[in-house]
Amino acid sequence: MSELARLQAALQHARQQFPGEGDPVASREAMGLALSAVIDFLHAHQMAEEVVPLLALAGAVVDVQCGNQSPLLTAPKSGKRPSASLRLRLNLAVASAAISVLMEAGANENEAADKVARVLRSSDIPLPAKSRADVPLPRALQEWRSKLLQGRQGKEAQQIYRDALQGARSQGEVAAQALLETLAELGKKAPKPPVL
C-alpha cells in the first residue's frame, strides 16, 4: 500500500469515527486520529518543519481531551466570538473553494455554483442575504467568489480559500464533495447571517 493510500485510509477511518458536536469526546479522538495520519504522512516526506503547527494542534487537542485548558484552543478573554459576518465569509470561502475544485474537475462555473448551492440549501448554513432577495443563490455565490479572487473578502477568507483549495486540488470532484460535507457540518453551528 502506498503512503498516500495509507493516509487516505487513515483519514477515512477518522472521518467514520467523527460524530460531530453531539459527542465532543469521540470527536476529539477522531480529530487526533486525522492529525496523526497527516503528521505521519508529512514526516515520511521529510517535512518536519511544516509539521510543527499540526503537532501543536494535536497537543492542544490532547490537553483538552485530558481535561486541561489549552491556550491554543481557548477563546480570547474579551469574550468576543467571531462575528456572524466573519463566520459567513469563512463558510463562503470554503464554498468558493468547492466551486473552484469542481471547475478544475470539468464543471463550468454555473454547474459548480448550482451544485454548491444545493448543498448550502439542504444544510443549516446561513445564506448570503443577497441570495434571499432578488439574486439566486448560485449567482450570489459566483459574485462572492469573484470578489474573493479579487482580494475583496478579507484576509481570513482568502487564507481559508487557499488552504481548502490546496488541500483538495489533487482529488477533483471527490475533494469538492468532501469540502461540501465539511461546509454542511459547519452549517450546523452557524449563527444567522447578516446582510452582505
Side-chain angles (χ1 to χ4, degrees):
M1 180 183 282
S2 74
E3 290 176 23
L4 182 58
R6 274 195 294 277
L7 173 63
Q8 288 174 320
L11 291 175
Q12 286 172 350
H13 174 72
R15 177 64 181 115
Q16 291 168 350
Q17 302 301 310
F18 185 77
E21 285 187 354
D23 187 349
V25 173
S27 293
R28 284 190 294 269
E29 289 174 6
M31 290 184 324
L33 290 173
L35 281 168
S36 292
V38 172
I39 290 167
D40 291 345
F41 179 81
L42 293 173
H43 270 297
H45 287 86
Q46 288 75 41
M47 297 176 138
E49 289 298 315
E50 291 82 353
V51 171
V52 171
L54 294 176
L55 289 171
L57 179 58
V61 170
V62 169
D63 284 346
V64 171
Q65 193 73 342
C66 293
N68 300 318
Q69 193 172 27
S70 170
L72 293 176
L73 298 178
T74 302
K77 296 282 186 211
S78 68
K80 290 186 177 181
R81 296 175 56 193
S83 68
S85 175
L86 175 61
R87 289 187 69 174
L88 177 62
R89 285 195 319 269
L90 299 181
N91 289 341
L92 289 173
V94 174
S96 294
I99 290 171
S100 294
V101 171
L102 287 168
M103 290 172 63
E104 289 174 5
N108 67 42
E109 187 178 15
N110 290 335
E111 293 167 340
D114 284 341
K115 186 168 188 168
V116 172
R118 282 194 300 274
V119 171
L120 291 176
R121 282 191 198 104
S122 67
S123 71
D124 294 328
I125 296 172
L127 305 176
K130 205 178 209 185
S131 71
R132 294 189 308 264
D134 58 335
V135 179
L137 179 57
R139 184 71 198 139
L141 291 173
Q142 289 172 308
E143 290 174 5
W144 197 93
R145 180 176 168 273
S146 176
K147 288 179 184 175
L148 175 72
L149 296 176
Q150 296 168 15
R152 296 173 33 209
Q153 294 295 0
K155 291 179 184 177
E156 298 94 347
Q158 287 178 323
Q159 186 62 50
I160 293 293
Y161 171 81
R162 281 192 302 268
D163 290 347
L165 191 59
Q166 181 180 4
R169 264 208 165 114
S170 64
Q171 298 173 13
E173 192 164 340
V174 172
Q177 187 59 41
L179 285 175
L180 294 175
E181 288 171 9
T182 298
L183 196 56
E185 193 69 30
L186 291 172
K188 293 179 182 176
K189 55 188 170 192
K192 295 295 179 205
V195 175
L196 294 181

